[in-house]
Each structure stands twice: as structure tokens, then as C-alpha cells.
Amino acid sequence: MSMNDSLLLPEDVLVFPVSELASEVQTQATLDPDGFVVTRPNARETSTVVDQNGAALIESFREARTVVDAVIAFSGPRGLDPRKVLDEAFPLIHRLVAANFLVPADSAHAQRIAATLNPGNAVAGWTVEQTAHVVEDTEVYRMRDGAQRTAALKIARPGHEAGLREMLRHEAALLSHADGTAAPRLIEAGEHEGRPFLLLEWCEGVPVLSLSRRLEQEATPAAAARLLETCVAVLRAYAALHARGIVHGDVHPGNLLATETNDIRVLDFGRARLVGNPGPLGAPPRAGAPFYYDPQFAAAALAGRAPPAANPLAEQYCLAVLLRHLLVGRPYLDFGLERERMLRQIVEDRPVPFIRHGARPWPDVERVLGRALAKDPADRFAGVADFADALARAGRRDEPAPTTTRDAPTFMTDVLSRLSADGGLYQALRNGTELCSVNAGAAGIAYALYRIASIREDAALLALAELWITRAERNASDERAFYCEEFDLTPATVGQTSLFHTAVGLSCVEALIGVALADGARTAQATKRFLARTEGASIGLDLTLGRSGILLGCAALLAATPAEAGASDAHNAIVALGDRIDAELRQELAQLPPLGDAGPLNLGIAHGWGGVLFALLRWREARRLGGADAAIETYLRALAAQAEPAGNGLRWRWMTDQSDVKAYMPGWCNGSGGLVHLWTLAERSFGNDDYGALARRAALNAWEDASGASDLCCGTAGRCYAMLNLYRHSGDGIWLQRAHDLAGKAVASIGQGSLKRDSLYKGEVGVALLIADLERPELSCMPLFDMEP
């Protein structure tokens, strides 16, 4: 590329704000919410993300101009030095030129990527019937001849003739060798008006990804079994190709057709090779869709080396990536959009368990896929045929999820009956003497009803949640709604702005219920009350009583707020409040002596270091802030250093200066159960396996230590949520089984001495919510603490 070349941004290249992407995509890719996406439909290159200035510079190429002219035009109105702008912008421009997003103004690449043949056009004695598929270098059409036979025409697009001529010749030779094995038969190869083409057998079927989406939407055990059969059929097709010595070399769902009877056809053999005896065909250069690269290919691309030739073990990995996408509906990693980050994830990151992507857990199938996705080829199956056999066996071993206890349904019925609009508990709210907080009162009940309604998709329960939160809000100005000397709940003990004990939490829950009801006005009003009630926030740092709890509320509201609310005053105020508290917490932590060198310090979630760090990480997650965070990781390492072995697990003291046996507990508030949530969030945030190991050993302690009460805050139910959190994080079914075991114990014992029977964190309401979460463990979350799925 010369500085004097006139470049153009083709009209079909799109440049738009990251905020216009679906919120799920923004979260998965941890994108800068202020960035801009640059993409080209039907292009082979992946999208890229640029900042606001980069987007403005790129848009200036909508009219053909040189790089120098564009930089001068961009720099002048902004008062910038053009030479410095050119130095900083050149890598971006070079990248966009390489991706054919910026192209020479007089080249064929400047044209919109669209079909160039029309129905009725003739090619090699066949007539175009309809367009089947178009990408930037190739077009595919359905053809028909005078005998009413059908065929597929694959032809180079104008401007790509030279690059495609050798590739199509190579593909024709490979298809002749395949002789119809899992592939279309070759009818003819030639040229039409200087454009090389292949005429191939027309294969019936639908793209395999379309078939899998339809089966997923059915959401029945029969549909899941049918989808797994399709996955096995895909592997059998590739195993047949490998048996003929053919490695396809370009695995992705666009190259697979499937029929209802699982007849699989593999398409596009331009990158295929013969193993062992390539002969005159040779080994074509590696290419393909980056999402489906194997680790060795990705590592070579990162290092700027030529990748190794395609081989059966590499193809096995790519097939496992494909099947995981078919089964779950999402890629096996939470990919970023930037190519370098994506490649590094392929080399380093472990597959995300099904449950973390909202899919039904399938442990046997996940274990089989995990072996095929081993980073070291030597750890994979010996061949794709073995992979297919193992996957077929795994499907037959699928077992139903365990049940908690025979008493759980009765327990749930009893609790919901007491919470009904006709029940005495709801009626007691009329006299203004009942607590209305999240921890021990009506706001916690409303939250539990809202979550159970979401899990069960029960509109009546959601309406009941609305009744409870409405009544609680009516009582919010009465001091008796949040303070009660009997339970040691006073302004002196819980303050004025606790998320769990005051009207701040009530407003947060009302806003969440407003989102569930799709009631924008209610959500906005509740959010404004939340903001007003946090003014003069407690000076404390901790999560249950102080500013870390408010930050947690900000994270919950930001995560739940619909994307279109991004421009609203309330939304912006939540971001501003959260960012301010985040900065304050970090500043105060930095002023404290190093953990371990100071005096008595609480280490737990409810009132200590664990809770502050958890809130900071939750805010990062809600703000979709990716990348490193040296300060938080320093504190995490310091907290990890305070761990002590206990049995098979690890435990942390409540206070650093305690030395007796009562210094430890397995519960959520001050013990290992709560820290499980911190360590899984840390691993999710930073991708460090060490945090995952800490989570597992903390969970082992929470499982093995049976001391404590039965409630969410301090007891068995809170330990159960630790098991569920690790299950959602790891996909390991042993933690789900342990959650069911603990839930059975919680149901049996919660009525024996609970601090407040009808409360979320201290009584039976929390255990009822736990039972509902166990019905759909992929949707489970510790109440008003973890990110809601």
C-alpha cells in the first residue's frame, strides 16, 4: 500500500457503535461500550473494533482519497498534528486494507459483495435458477439443464479469478478422489468469461446450524437426542473422508448440509489435502474461519509463522468446536472480536461449560467434547471415528438430574401459600409494623417471588411479587419498616443506606421487578429512588452494610437495564454512582496496610475484604470491562495467601487475629462458602486457573464442614449456593449433586431455630428460592448477589 494510493470504504462496509450490538454479544466479547464495530457482510475477515476517532477517520474514506489526504482532513478541525495522527493510524489502516475493508478505489473489491449472475443466465449449457450463497471471492448458484437435472455452480467473483483458479483446480481433483464419499460429485470444471468454475452435484439438505437451531427451539429430550445424532453423523462423515486419506481443512457450519435423515454432505474442498501421499495436489495453505482454528494453527498465526498442514488430529479439534456450537448455540469460548485476542483465547482458554452459556448441562457429552478439545493433540482421540463412537455412547448414558427430597415440593407449597395475597403475612403489611428490607422483610420476599416466577415462567407469581414490593414501598417512610430492636436492627447497627437492610435495597428490587414486568416507567421511578436513597452513603466499606453493597446494587441494575435505556438520565446516573464508589473503594483499599501486616481485619464476604473485592469485580462485569486489573489482582493474591488447609479444602479466618476453632465457618457471610463466589468470578474475569483451584478448594471446605445454621446468610442454604455457583462455573456434575444433598438438609432443618421464618436471608423464603433454583440450576444465583443469568 502506497501513501499515494486512492482508497475507498465500500458502501457495504458497516461502521456502528458497539452499543448497538446485542447486550449478550457485548458481554461475551468484553467490548469497550464506547467503541465502534467495523464489519463487512459476506466478507471472510472477522469484524474489528475501533475507538471514536478511528471510526471518524475510517468514515472519511466513503469518498475515494489517499491516506495522507484523509489524515490531513481529519487532523485539521481537531487541531492535531497530522504526522502524529498518521503514525498512530497507519497500523489500523493497514489492517483494514488487508481485510478488504479499505480497498483501491478502482478495484473490483470496491463493489458491494453481491451476486453477479441472474436467473436465466447460461453457464456451460446450464441455466441459473437461483442464488444459493455469496461471499467476497465466490458465488454459488442452483442450476438446471434441459433434462431438468439440478446442479450447483461454484464460480469465482470478478476480481478474484487469479486467486481462485488454482484453488478450484485443486478442489476438483480432491472431489474426484472423494468420489461422492460425504461430498458432492464433480460434474464439470471450466471457465466462464474468464471466471473459473466448478459444476457439482446439487446436494439436498439445510445448513447444519439451521437444523440445530430448530431442534434447540423445540427444547425437548427427544429434540436433544436428535441433535446429538446429527452431531454423531457429522463425525461419521468426516471419519469416512479421513478413511480415504482426505483432510477437509476448512471446518465450519457453512460447509455442512444435513437432511432430516442425517445424510451429511461436506462442502468446499479448496483447502483439503491428501494425507501421506499428496502427489501433484500438494498441501494448500491453511485458511478458514478463525473461530474454528485449532490451537496449533492459532499459535502459528499469533507468532507470524506458517501454520502446520491440516491433519486429522487438528480437524478433530475443529469438529469438536463445531459440535459444541451446534449443541449449545454459542461458541465454546467467549470470543473477543479482535483477531489477536481471539487467537490467544484458542491457544490458552478452556472450553466454557454448557451451563455457563445457559444450556442444559450434559456431563457425559461435555467430557467427550473436552477430550477432543484438548490443547495437546496427543491428548485427543486417536481418530474421528473413535470420537464419534464415544459421543454416541455418551448420549446413551444421559441421566436425569437428581431430585432434592420428597419433602421439597410440600415445603415450597407451604411457603408460597403463606406468601399469597390472601395470607396473613401479606395482610400484616397493612399495619406498617412488618420489616420491609431485603434481608429480613418484604423486599426479600418480593425478590424471591420475582426470581421463582422467572425460573418457572409464572406470571401469577410475578404479579404477586409486584404486590409485595408495592406494599413495601408504601411502608418505606415508616422507621419500623427497617429497624427492629428485637433483631438488633437499628440505625447504629445497619446504618441508613445498606442494600440488604434499608430502603436502598427495596428500590433496587422494585427496579428489577419493573424490568421483568417490562414496565419502563416503574423501573425508571424505582431507579431514581435508589439513587436518592444512596445519598449520604454509609462510610463503611463492607458489602452488607456499606458502600460495596451499593456498588453491588448498581451492578444489578446496570446488568438488568435494557440496552435502549443506555441514553437515559437514570442509566447514566447509575454508571456515574457506580464509577464513583468504585474509585472510592479502590482509593481506600490502597491506603490500608498490606493484608497480613495490619491488625484485626475481616476477610469474609458480608463484612470484609472478600465482599469488597467481589463488589469491585461485579462492577467490572456489569460495566463489561475486560483486560487486566493489577490492583484487584494484588488484593486477590493477598487474600489467597491467608488461606489455610482444612481436610481436602481451604478455609479463611473470620478475623485475621483470631486463633481458636470458632474463627472459621463454611457459610456465605464470613466463610469459605461466600469466597467460592469471589474465586469463580475472579477466574471468569481474568482467566487465571489459580482462582478456579481456590474456588474448588473453598467449595470442598464448605461441603465438608457441616457446622452452622440452615439459612442463606450463615448456614446450609448459603453453602448450597456455593455448590451451585461452582457447578455453573465448571460444569462438573459433582457440585450439582452436592447442592441437592445440602438442599435436602436445609429443607429438613430450616424450621428449627431460624432467626426470622418468613425472610429471604434468615428463614424459609430463601430455602424456597433455593428449591426453585435447583429446578433450573443453569439459572441459579445467590439472591441479589451473583449476576442474574
Side-chain angles (χ1 to χ4, degrees):
M1 179 184 69
S2 166
M3 292 294 102
N4 295 319
D5 290 341
S6 184
L7 300 178
L8 179 69
L9 189 70
E11 61 175 316
D12 57 341
V13 173
L14 306 177
V15 183
F16 59 90
V18 164
S19 59
E20 293 183 9
L21 289 170
S23 58
E24 179 181 312
V25 175
Q26 295 180 47
T27 302
Q28 290 171 25
T30 58
L31 300 178
D32 178 359
D34 297 322
F36 286 75
V37 178
V38 184
T39 190
R40 190 174 191 184
N42 300 319
R44 293 192 182 275
E45 286 294 326
T46 56
S47 303
T48 191
V49 176
V50 300
D51 61 19
Q52 185 175 10
N53 285 334
L57 178 61
I58 293 166
E59 286 285 8
S60 71
F61 286 97
R62 290 294 182 187
E63 295 181 2
R65 60 181 62 193
T66 66
V67 174
V68 172
D69 287 342
V71 167
I72 291 173
F74 173 83
S75 304
R78 294 169 174 82
L80 302 174
D81 181 352
R83 288 169 297 185
K84 184 177 181 181
V85 171
L86 180 60
D87 288 342
E88 294 177 350
F90 188 78
L92 170 63
I93 293 172
H94 187 272
R95 188 166 79 243
L96 295 174
V97 169
N100 279 335
F101 290 174
L102 272 179
V103 300
D106 57 354
S107 77
H109 302 302
Q111 303 301 314
R112 177 184 290 272
I113 300 175
T116 58
L117 297 178
N118 298 310
N121 290 160
V123 178
W126 294 70
T127 301
V128 174
E129 193 170 62
Q130 64 183 52
T131 304
H133 183 59
V134 176
V135 291
E136 65 181 276
D137 57 2
T138 311
E139 300 167 17
V140 179
Y141 299 90
R142 180 184 173 98
M143 311 292 286
R144 190 173 295 276
D145 69 359
Q148 297 304 304
R149 294 179 302 167
T150 55
L153 173 71
K154 181 176 182 179
I155 186 168
R157 281 178 51 74
H160 294 272
E161 295 89 348
L164 267 291
R165 187 168 283 109
E166 181 60 26
M167 184 179 293
L168 292 180
R169 185 193 72 82
H170 178 87
E171 181 171 7
L174 261 296
L175 289 172
S176 295
H177 182 83
D179 194 25
T181 299
R185 294 184 183 276
L186 177 67
I187 297 173
E188 182 181 346
E191 293 202 5
H192 173 73
E193 298 179 352
R195 298 163 62 182
F197 72 81
L198 299 179
L199 202 61
L200 310 169
E201 171 192 9
W202 179 263
C203 298
E204 297 296 338
V206 298
V208 70
L209 197 57
S210 298
L211 177 63
S212 70
R213 293 295 78 79
R214 179 175 63 77
L215 291 171
E216 271 186 18
Q217 290 169 3
E218 291 182 18
T220 64
R226 169 75 175 80
L227 180 53
L228 192 68
E229 290 172 1
T230 299
C231 291
V232 172
V234 168
L235 294 180
R236 302 282 189 216
Y238 273 88
L241 288 173
H242 290 180
R244 293 188 69 89
I246 299 173
V247 179
H248 181 231
D250 193 8
V251 174
H252 69 79
N255 283 341
L256 282 166
L257 293 178
T259 67
E260 291 294 332
T261 57
N262 279 338
D263 179 19
I264 304 295
R265 293 299 186 96
V266 183
L267 310 177
D268 198 349
F269 283 74
R271 300 292 181 181
R273 63 183 291 258
L274 292 179
V275 178
N277 182 27
L281 295 177
R286 294 288 298 274
F291 284 172
Y292 296 92
Y293 286 177
D294 63 278
Q296 289 65 44
F297 188 174
L302 273 173
R305 303 190 309 266
N311 62 76
L313 285 176
E315 193 139 280
Q316 180 184 147
Y317 185 97
C318 303
L319 286 166
V321 173
L322 170 72
L323 300 192
R324 202 291 191 168
H325 195 170
L326 297 181
L327 289 167
V328 177
R330 284 174 58 175
Y332 72 119
L333 300 172
D334 290 330
F335 282 117
L337 288 183
E338 294 294 344
R339 178 181 173 85
E340 184 174 332
R341 178 167 180 254
M342 184 188 307
L343 294 174
R344 188 169 290 108
Q345 288 176 286
I346 294 169
V347 173
E348 300 174 357
D349 291 2
R350 294 178 299 174
V352 177
F354 282 23
I355 193 169
R356 289 220 344 244
H357 278 167
R360 181 179 69 93
W362 208 339
D364 287 337
V365 169
E366 291 181 67
R367 278 191 289 271
V368 172
L369 291 178
R371 180 174 175 183
L373 288 169
K375 301 301 183 184
D376 186 344
D379 294 332
R380 298 170 198 158
F381 292 98
V384 171
D386 294 337
F387 182 11
D389 291 342
L391 191 63
R393 289 194 299 271
R396 291 193 292 271
R397 287 199 304 269
D398 186 36
E399 298 176 358
T403 56
T404 301
T405 167
R406 288 184 302 173
D407 294 330
T410 301
F411 177 87
M412 175 70 89
T413 299
D414 290 345
V415 172
L416 292 180
S417 176
R418 292 203 308 274
L419 303 184
S420 70
D422 297 329
L425 191 62
Y426 177 74
Q427 297 301 323
L429 278 175
R430 293 180 180 276
N431 61 27
T433 59
E434 289 296 316
L435 287 170
C436 292
S437 65
V438 169
N439 183 282
I445 291 172
Y447 180 87
L449 290 168
Y450 142 73
R451 286 284 300 130
I452 297 170
S454 300
I455 293 163
R456 295 184 169 184
E457 299 181 353
D458 188 324
L461 284 179
L462 184 58
L464 183 59
E466 183 184 18
L467 285 177
W468 272 92
I469 202 67
T470 300
R471 178 63 67 182
E473 178 57 41
R474 289 178 187 172
N475 294 348
S477 60
D478 192 323
E479 190 172 90
R480 293 173 298 175
F482 302 103
Y483 302 117
C484 175
E485 291 190 4
E486 178 186 353
F487 298 122
D488 196 27
L489 301 174
T490 68
T493 57
V494 300
Q496 303 282 346
T497 53
S498 162
L499 180 73
F500 291 92
H501 290 288
T502 73
V504 170
L506 189 159
S507 299
C508 184
V509 171
E510 184 176 13
L512 295 175
I513 291 173
V515 172
L517 291 167
D519 187 340
R522 182 169 202 149
T523 300
Q525 291 168 1
T527 302
K528 289 177 182 177
R529 283 195 289 269
F530 172 86
L531 292 165
R533 288 166 176 170
T534 58
E535 292 180 3
S538 165
I539 60 171
L541 292 177
D542 75 49
L543 184 136
T544 304
L545 305 177
R547 280 169 294 159
S548 292
I550 296 174
L551 186 59
L552 202 63
C554 290
L557 292 177
L558 190 63
T561 302
E564 60 268 19
S568 72
D569 292 342
H571 178 99
N572 294 335
I574 287 291
V575 172
L577 174 61
D579 283 347
R580 176 173 63 79
I581 295 175
D582 176 90
E584 291 173 358
L585 295 178
R586 288 170 182 270
Q587 183 178 10
E588 293 185 38
L589 286 177
Q591 294 171 353
L592 293 175
L595 184 59
D597 296 343
L601 292 173
N602 191 302
L603 301 181
I605 287 292
H607 302 293
W609 273 75
V612 177
L613 296 179
F614 183 85
L616 290 171
L617 286 176
R618 279 280 283 108
W619 183 241
R620 274 177 52 101
E621 185 177 49
R623 290 279 274 130
R624 305 188 183 102
L625 301 175
D629 192 319
I632 290 183
E633 292 218 68
T634 297
Y635 302 136
L636 288 170
R637 286 192 294 271
L639 182 60
Q642 298 293 317
E644 301 175 17
N648 294 307
L650 291 174
R651 64 184 182 181
W652 283 256
R653 298 171 187 269
W654 287 25
M655 302 289 292
T656 53
D657 66 339
Q658 287 178 303
S659 58
D660 62 5
V661 69
K662 294 182 179 180
Y664 309 95
M665 71 173 293
W668 170 81
C669 55
N670 289 303
S672 52
L675 292 175
V676 171
H677 301 262
L678 172 65
W679 298 125
T680 57
L681 179 54
E683 184 177 29
R684 193 162 71 243
S685 299
F686 303 121
N688 187 332
D689 293 350
D690 291 343
Y691 298 134
L694 288 167
R696 288 188 292 276
R697 294 197 67 188
L700 279 170
N701 179 253
W703 164 249
E704 293 172 349
D705 187 342
S707 62
S710 302
D711 58 30
L712 286 186
C713 182
C714 310
T716 306
R719 292 161 57 211
C720 184
Y721 270 111
M723 306 297 115
L724 280 173
N725 176 273
L726 187 52
Y727 173 58
R728 286 190 60 224
H729 180 75
S730 69
D732 188 344
I734 188 63
W735 300 108
L736 178 59
Q737 180 61 63
R738 288 168 176 169
H740 279 279
D741 290 346
L742 288 177
K745 295 174 183 177
V747 169
S749 61
I750 186 63
Q752 302 167 14
S754 60
L755 184 62
K756 192 172 187 299
R757 183 186 186 192
D758 292 306
S759 69
L760 178 62
Y761 264 80
K762 295 294 186 179
E764 295 185 4
V765 174
V767 176
L769 175 55
L770 171 62
I771 292 170
D773 270 324
L774 283 163
E775 295 171 4
R776 296 286 305 278
E778 69 275 16
L779 302 180
S780 61
C781 65
M782 185 75 177
L784 207 59
F785 179 70
D786 278 334
M787 176 80 80
E788 293 182 13

